[in-house]
Amino acid sequence: YPNPEDPNAFELALKYAKEQQADIVMATDPDADRLGIYARTDSGEYASFTGNMSGALICEYILSQKKAKGALPSNGAIVSTIVTSDMVKAAADYYGMHFVETLTGFKFIGEQIKQFEEQGSYQYLFGMEESYGCLPGTYARDKDAVAAVMMLSEAAAFYKNQGRNLWDQMLQIYKKYGFYKEALETMTFKGKEGA
């Protein structure tokens, strides 16, 4: 069942990761728009990240690196949806970025990008939705797991050079913005009995 929100999709990958002592395990859905991840903790176990958590990791990485390089635009914008964690709003506020919350669905994030470009108002930096989807650029108007894999791999390498893993970084983000907890439950109702 190739759903990155379902722990069963990671069963074989996690088994192999434990044998290899891999730092991170990532899986996308078949059309590569959603990304799920597990990261090895200091205890050697693998922690599961929700879409909100992995999105927050990418958002914080983008904003902190742009700030460190003096490339954080004064009109930068972060976009998320009403079902997404408020943690990204906290990050946007911390870095002085404009924050927009849209209705559910990545098409609304895409509409914001278009409006920013047409109006010349804000520079889109990152958008995400809790459903394991994010977009770290303006080259598309939909979530992109390929770019998310690249961003999380880069972030993982960056933090590893500092002696931290992605779980350590997630804990640092919680310390910085406060603890945000959410849960997702997927229910499948098969056949006419399931209706």
Side-chain angles (χ1 to χ4, degrees):
Y1 188 61
N3 179 353
E5 298 174 35
D6 186 341
N8 294 324
F10 284 87
E11 185 179 341
L12 294 175
L14 284 170
K15 181 180 176 192
Y16 186 69
K18 288 174 185 174
E19 292 170 5
Q20 302 300 314
Q21 296 185 356
D23 293 329
I24 53 179
V25 179
M26 295 185 265
T28 71
D29 57 339
D31 62 349
D33 64 357
R34 294 177 296 131
L35 170 68
I37 70 163
Y38 279 74
R40 190 164 51 129
T41 66
D42 292 336
S43 69
E45 296 300 312
Y46 288 85
S48 172
F49 288 68
T50 66
N52 282 323
M53 294 165 71
S54 59
L57 279 167
I58 294 172
C59 183
E60 177 68 17
Y61 180 72
I62 289 171
L63 294 176
S64 65
Q65 293 308 298
K66 284 189 176 294
K67 183 177 181 180
K69 294 174 181 161
L72 198 59
S74 60
N75 67 338
I78 303 296
V79 185
S80 76
T81 67
I82 59 173
V83 295
T84 303
S85 171
D86 288 337
M87 191 182 323
V88 290
K89 181 182 185 320
D93 290 345
Y94 179 86
Y95 288 98
M97 298 293 100
H98 181 67
F99 177 77
V100 176
E101 187 175 68
T102 70
L103 294 175
T104 306
F106 226 86
K107 66 181 180 182
F108 295 108
I109 295 174
E111 285 178 1
Q112 286 297 310
I113 297 170
K114 183 179 179 186
Q115 286 178 14
F116 295 161
E117 290 172 348
E118 288 175 351
Q119 298 167 358
S121 56
Y122 295 102
Q123 183 178 338
Y124 173 89
L125 297 174
F126 182 71
M128 65 168 282
E129 190 166 49
E130 60 76 36
S131 60
Y132 290 65
C134 64
L135 180 63
T138 59
Y139 55 88
R141 297 297 187 263
D142 201 355
K143 48 193 176 278
D144 182 3
V146 175
V149 165
M150 183 179 64
M151 293 301 304
L152 278 173
S153 297
E154 183 179 318
F158 177 80
Y159 297 125
K160 186 170 185 168
N161 284 337
Q162 296 180 345
R164 292 184 304 205
N165 56 48
L166 285 180
W167 184 250
D168 295 332
Q169 178 58 19
M170 193 71 238
L171 296 177
Q172 290 296 318
I173 291 172
Y174 285 142
K175 287 178 186 174
K176 188 173 184 178
Y177 302 123
F179 182 71
Y180 294 77
K181 173 77 174 155
E182 83 283 338
L184 176 68
E185 186 171 332
T186 302
M187 295 181 276
T188 303
F189 301 95
K190 292 185 178 179
K192 64 182 181 179
E193 297 82 12

